[in-house]
Amino acid sequence: MFDIYLCIRDGHDLKFVLLAALICLLSSLTALALLRQAADSTGSARRRWWCMAGVSAGFGIWATHFVAMLGFAPGIVIGFESGLTLTSLIIPVVALSLSFGLLTESKGRFVLIGASALAALGIAAMHYTGMMAMEVPGVLRWKTGFLAASVIIAFLPLYPAFTLALEDRGLRGLLAATALLSASVVGLHFTGMTGMTIIPTRLHAIEQLISPREMASAVAGVSFLLVALSAISLVVSRRTAAAVALSERNFSFLVRGISDCAIYMLDLEGRVRNWNAGAQRLKGYAEDEVIGLHVSSFYTPEDREAALDRVALEAARSQGRYHGEGWRVRKDGSRFWAHVTMEPMLDDLGQPIAFAKITRDMTRFKEALDRTAEANRQRDAALGHMHQGLCLFGADEKLVLSNIRYLEMYGLAPDALRPGMSLSEVIRLSSLTRFAPHLIADRVRVAERAIRDNLATDAHSPILAEYPDGKVVSIATRPMPGGGWVSTFDDVTRQRESEAQIAHMAMHDGLTGLPNRTRFNLWIDEMLEQASRYGKRLGVAAIDLDRFKEINDTYGHSWGDVVLAELARRLGSALGEEEIAARLGGDEFGLAKLFDSDEQLAEFLRRIEPCFTQPVAHQGQELSFGASLGIAAYPHDGIDREALLNNADLAMYRAKAQIGERICYYEPGMDEIARARRQLANDLRLAVERDELVLLYQPQCHLRSGQLSGYEALVRWHHPLHGLVSPAEFIPIAEESGAILQIGEWVLAQACREAATWHSHHRVAVNVSPVQLVQQDLAPMVGRVLMETGLSASRLELEITESAIITDKVRALNNLRQLKELGVAIAMDDFGTGYSSLDTLHSFPFDKIKIDKSFLLESDQNEQARAIIRAVLALGSSLRIPVLAEGVETASQFELLISEGCEEAQGYFLGRPDRAPSLKSGSPDTVPKTRAEAFA
């Protein structure tokens, strides 16, 4: 130690020693202050600060060394070798920079030791390299002990110097660290200088030496400049740091004072680093509870399981910002809907060092959104389930919304219509699937005009849009308050089809598809107007099928329907323009044609006639039928529809009545005959009330004994104007008009009442009309008459024809069985004419068969008639059914019946119809005297 003191006193110029000490103190103070700034900084700023501290310390220590060398034995040092001098500068700069970097980038005791050792070695290397750069007139010799001691002396103060600089952040710690660092540099320098000996030698000339004066000026200037710049930087930095700290403190006060939202910082691992009042209020954690708590603690269990906290941190790190919403959990376990914003905090190099997070309680907003969403969902559901399409337009004619039904109706994709589209664009898109491309522009113009015109009216009646593919859409447009309108689109295609079908059904026959009577009448009215306007003629034909009833009775109504359908097909195929065929009901048809000449009408009838002459084949059977046609023509046969149809009917009845006549044209006399029949029908309805009907009784006799067997009651009409009207004339009229029911009941009651006055047990026979036979109340009516008149049922015989049974066989036979149960006898009248079916005799146990009088009338000249009489008598004998012959008018006919074994007969030869037997003198039990000789 004394040697070191002597070295300083005797070997150095004290002025340079003091200058070197001052440089060392200033540079050390500056370097340690910069080191502290580096420790307080992060990222690239930290690296800049410890590099600046290393440069300041390196330059200062290097300057201390060379200033002190300049004061060593003044005049001995001739110069400094430039290369080693520069190397001696670089060594401390690099060593001190690395040492300071190690101290600021890492922590720990061993880091301090390593950094101290590195700095000591750098200082020692600088010193001895600088000594080697010194040129003196001699050879340098070193004492190893002093050399080792110099390194140790340099190392020992550095550890506490660095510790004080980094851990004791006050001014005292900084000054103490500066003193220790300066002691390390000075101690190494003078210990090393003490261990050096110069052995004088001859100095060789060396070029490019730095003179001591130049070296002194350069070192002093650079050192003080560096120290000044470092000090200025440090001061500016401190002031900036103070301002930033003040700003951060103020901002911290502001953030901590915010209570409306949670603002806090997370480290890179997601742990809470600070906490504001808003966070405490929102989440319920106090600051001392939450610091260090991981952000996942605020997530729901299901979100933690899905690792959404890590997803948010990674998104903020990679994307620079994270926005999210979701349920978060408070300290007490309650949940709230949070809106979260998270951004990374970056250092100067752009690397994240933490995360700033803002959380807002959006529960009420979420509830409002949910209510709005629910309302929208319900609205969308309502719109989606509407059977109508809907489009809402604003006052600017831009689309606001549309529903899915509209898209389906017009074949559009789900995203085809967007809010904001113009009316014309919506119409254009909706027309793409309906119209050809070249028609769309015109379609848009027409539709726009129609909608605007509809909005301008007060009624706003629906618009019917008919499309080429057959679709029909009803468009209803209603204005909205404040402008705009809503249009609904209703697909009424099926409705229109149903209406058309209903209209078709209302105007057409369901079985044949032909126009019905209503449509036929309308068509005739239309054609009459045209005929009147253009001077044309209109022919109308009334058609009634022949033998159609036989097909129904023989094969059933389903076969009859086949015939009608086939006939309708034939008529439809035969029709031309301005012609019509209609089914008017049952087996009645109507035809009509607009024509100019008789030849055109005749040609029309020639085309139609084969439709009725060709049989219909069905299930191996040929169903033959015919037709009777009556023709009337406008204007000669009538000037209105009613007249034409009526006259055609008259002509048809004439054709039907004439044998071999299928087509008959109307003649004026037909109308007179029809009027006469109608007048008779009207008079007939009042005949019973006016007491114009009388009963005559024709006797029926046993041919072998001559005894009277009974009477047949025959009705006669004494018309006040026409006199006696034949039954053959008025009975058909009564049946057609329905008056036969009243007349029949009157006849039955009068006959039973008359027979009840007879003292014998003779029967009275009463004819039953086919119309009466199918009435449900026939048997009850007969029973009531028998009870009222007191006649025994066994004395009443009801005569029916087989054709009456065939009309409705099931109902007729049912009525006959009921009459049979009453005890009334049933006779088959007019046997041998009509059907004369053995099946009818088999279906019901008749009490008598009556041979039609036509056979007896022809029996004198016709052997076939006599053969039929014999056959019927034999049939009755075989079936054990009594047979009565009608129409006996001559003795030969009487003899024929006797010879053939007939048991009963009636006719003029045996007795004419006469007034009631009770009104005549004599007994009604015997044959009239005028014919008694026939039995002699």
Side-chain angles (χ1 to χ4, degrees), residues 558-569:
S558 62
W559 288 51
D561 292 344
V562 171
V563 172
L564 294 176
E566 174 60 21
L567 176 59
R569 187 195 64 79

Side-chain angles (χ1 to χ4, degrees), residues 455-478:
L455 288 171
T457 64
D458 294 331
H460 308 300
S461 301
I463 303 170
L464 282 180
E466 299 186 7
Y467 298 101
D469 59 358
K471 291 287 186 182
V472 182
V473 177
S474 174
I475 305 174
T477 301
R478 293 289 182 274

Side-chain angles (χ1 to χ4, degrees), residues 511 544-565 567 583 585-589 623-627 656 835:
L511 174 63
D544 188 78
L545 298 185
D546 300 331
R547 301 185 301 280
F548 180 73
K549 185 176 181 299
E550 298 177 14
I551 295 174
N552 274 340
D553 294 341
T554 305
Y555 299 103
H557 290 281
S558 62
W559 288 51
D561 292 344
V562 171
V563 172
L564 294 176
L567 176 59
R583 184 188 179 198
D587 59 351
E588 298 179 18
F589 289 81
L623 308 178
S624 299
F625 62 97
K656 206 170 188 67
Y835 296 94

Side-chain angles (χ1 to χ4, degrees), residues 289-446:
E289 295 177 315
V290 80
I291 298 299
L293 194 65
H294 196 270
V295 71
S296 61
S297 302
F298 310 138
Y299 282 73
T300 62
E302 51 270 24
D303 288 350
R304 284 199 300 270
E305 185 176 351
L308 294 187
D309 55 317
R310 293 195 295 274
V311 172
L313 291 170
E314 183 58 33
R317 180 184 289 109
S318 61
Q319 301 173 14
R321 175 173 291 187
Y322 168 78
H323 290 287
E325 292 183 341
W327 290 108
R328 295 296 184 265
V329 180
R330 297 186 178 93
K331 179 182 177 181
D332 59 5
S334 61
R335 296 187 178 193
F336 65 96
W337 186 261
H339 182 278
V340 176
T341 300
M342 188 187 306
E343 294 187 12
M345 300 177 66
L346 307 178
D347 60 13
D348 295 337
L349 295 180
Q351 296 301 313
I353 58 175
F355 295 101
K357 186 176 182 183
I358 301 175
T359 302
R360 297 178 180 88
D361 184 357
M362 306 297 288
T363 306
R364 292 186 179 179
F365 183 69
K366 174 72 165 54
E367 292 172 351
L369 286 180
D370 289 345
R371 287 193 296 270
T372 302
E374 178 63 18
N376 291 337
R377 187 192 66 78
Q378 294 176 354
R379 181 204 65 189
D380 294 342
L383 292 176
H385 287 82
M386 287 178 62
H387 75 280
Q388 298 172 318
L390 181 142
C391 286
L392 177 64
F393 290 88
D396 57 354
E397 295 191 353
K398 297 294 180 64
L399 180 67
V400 177
L401 62 85
S402 61
N403 68 346
I404 191 171
R405 177 63 181 141
Y406 180 84
L407 302 176
E408 293 172 350
M409 288 175 61
Y410 287 91
L412 300 174
D415 57 348
L417 297 184
R418 299 179 305 277
M421 280 186 170
S422 64
L423 173 62
S424 60
E425 182 65 12
V426 172
I427 297 174
R428 188 188 69 80
L429 289 175
S430 303
S431 302
L432 290 177
T433 59
R434 304 284 188 179
F435 295 93
H438 66 281
L439 299 176
I440 291 178
D442 184 60
R443 172 66 185 174
V444 171
R445 287 193 298 271
V446 171

Side-chain angles (χ1 to χ4, degrees), residues 484-690:
W485 72 90
V486 60
S487 294
T488 56
F489 302 79
D490 195 1
D491 187 347
V492 295
T493 305
R494 291 187 178 179
Q495 178 182 338
R496 291 293 293 272
E497 291 174 351
S498 298
E499 291 173 353
Q501 184 177 3
I502 292 172
H504 184 272
M505 292 171 62
M507 296 293 177
H508 291 78
D509 176 58
L511 174 63
T512 62
L514 291 176
N516 59 12
R517 185 182 297 273
T518 303
R519 181 69 187 99
F520 187 61
N521 291 342
L522 292 174
W523 193 90
I524 291 177
D525 291 340
E526 294 172 2
M527 293 303 105
L528 283 174
E529 184 178 350
Q530 289 193 28
S532 174
R533 182 180 304 167
Y534 300 111
K536 291 179 175 287
R537 301 167 64 189
L538 179 66
V540 177
I543 304 173
D544 188 78
L545 298 185
D546 300 331
R547 301 185 301 280
F548 180 73
K549 185 176 181 299
E550 298 177 14
I551 295 174
N552 274 340
D553 294 341
T554 305
Y555 299 103
H557 290 281
S558 62
W559 288 51
D561 292 344
V562 171
V563 172
L564 294 176
E566 174 60 21
L567 176 59
R569 187 195 64 79
R570 293 176 182 179
L571 290 173
S573 300
L575 294 177
E577 293 184 4
E578 297 182 333
E579 298 173 357
I580 189 174
R583 184 188 179 198
L584 306 181
D587 59 351
E588 298 179 18
F589 289 81
L591 297 173
K593 174 178 173 61
L594 197 66
F595 65 98
D596 294 310
S597 64
D598 292 342
E599 177 56 31
Q600 290 179 347
L601 180 60
E603 187 274 333
F604 170 64
L605 295 175
R606 284 195 296 271
R607 279 190 282 117
I608 294 299
E609 190 173 8
C611 298
F612 303 97
T613 58
Q614 298 296 323
V616 174
H618 182 62
Q619 295 186 6
Q621 297 289 334
E622 287 195 352
L623 308 178
S624 299
F625 62 97
S628 298
L629 281 76
I631 310 297
Y634 166 87
H636 301 94
D637 301 331
I639 59 174
D640 57 32
R641 169 169 48 84
E642 290 296 331
L644 287 173
L645 292 175
N646 183 64
N647 293 338
D649 277 338
L650 293 174
M652 183 269 294
Y653 286 120
R654 172 69 64 84
K656 206 170 188 67
Q658 295 179 350
I659 300 175
E661 192 77 34
R662 288 197 301 271
I663 301 177
C664 182
Y665 289 87
Y666 171 76
E667 297 175 359
M670 296 178 181
D671 191 29
E672 296 177 3
I673 296 173
R675 266 198 305 271
R677 285 175 62 87
R678 288 195 293 270
Q679 185 61 48
L680 280 178
N682 292 333
D683 294 343
L684 192 58
R685 292 187 182 94
L686 302 174
V688 174
E689 297 178 6
R690 295 173 178 174

Side-chain angles (χ1 to χ4, degrees), residues 695-701 709-715 744 747-752 754-755 758 761-768 786 791-800 824-829 848 850 884 886 904 906 917:
L695 284 184
L696 300 179
Y697 295 87
Q698 186 173 30
Q700 296 175 339
C701 303
S709 61
Y711 291 91
E712 180 179 2
L714 302 174
V715 65
V747 169
L748 179 65
Q750 292 296 321
C752 290
E754 169 65 22
W758 301 340
H761 297 288
H762 295 153
R763 288 182 175 179
V764 63
V766 178
N767 287 283
V768 176
L786 290 174
L791 182 67
S792 173
S794 61
R795 294 180 60 194
L796 177 63
E797 182 177 271
L798 299 179
E799 296 182 2
I800 64 170
V824 176
I826 306 298
M828 179 178 286
D829 196 12
K848 185 181 290 185
K850 297 184 71 174
L884 183 148
E886 293 182 302
E904 288 186 88
Q906 72 181 77

